[in-house]
Amino acid sequence: MTTLLEVESAIKQLPESEVRDLVKWLQEYIDEMWDQQIEADLSSGKLDRLIAQAEKDIAANNVRDLD
């Protein structure tokens, strides 16, 4: 198993274009992990209370635009 210190050292040796490609890949990887966690939380019911509150707020027009 490679340590974080070894990974950091290897990254520092990459050309800038490859570091940028790595950053893009890491962001996509993190986004996918987040999507999977949200799907799991939704399936397990962990978000039911929040969804119900949001629906209640919408029905009561207790919302505002984000703009």
Side-chain angles (χ1 to χ4, degrees):
M1 181 68 148
T2 302
T3 67
L4 179 57
L5 189 58
E6 291 170 325
V7 171
E8 288 173 350
S9 177
I11 290 170
K12 289 177 182 178
Q13 296 176 34
L14 293 173
E16 181 181 344
S17 63
E18 290 186 24
V19 172
R20 290 181 184 280
D21 289 344
L22 176 60
V23 168
K24 181 180 175 191
W25 178 86
L26 280 171
Q27 187 60 58
E28 291 170 355
Y29 181 73
I30 290 170
D31 290 349
E32 180 61 31
M33 288 174 41
W34 174 257
D35 289 346
Q36 290 174 4
Q37 184 63 55
I38 291 293
E39 288 177 17
D41 289 349
L42 187 58
S43 295
S44 72
K46 287 183 179 181
L47 301 178
D48 290 353
R49 182 181 56 80
L50 295 173
I51 293 169
Q53 182 63 51
E55 290 172 341
K56 181 180 171 184
D57 289 343
I58 291 167
N61 200 29
N62 189 22
V63 294
R64 62 183 172 85
D65 290 335
L66 295 176
D67 297 326

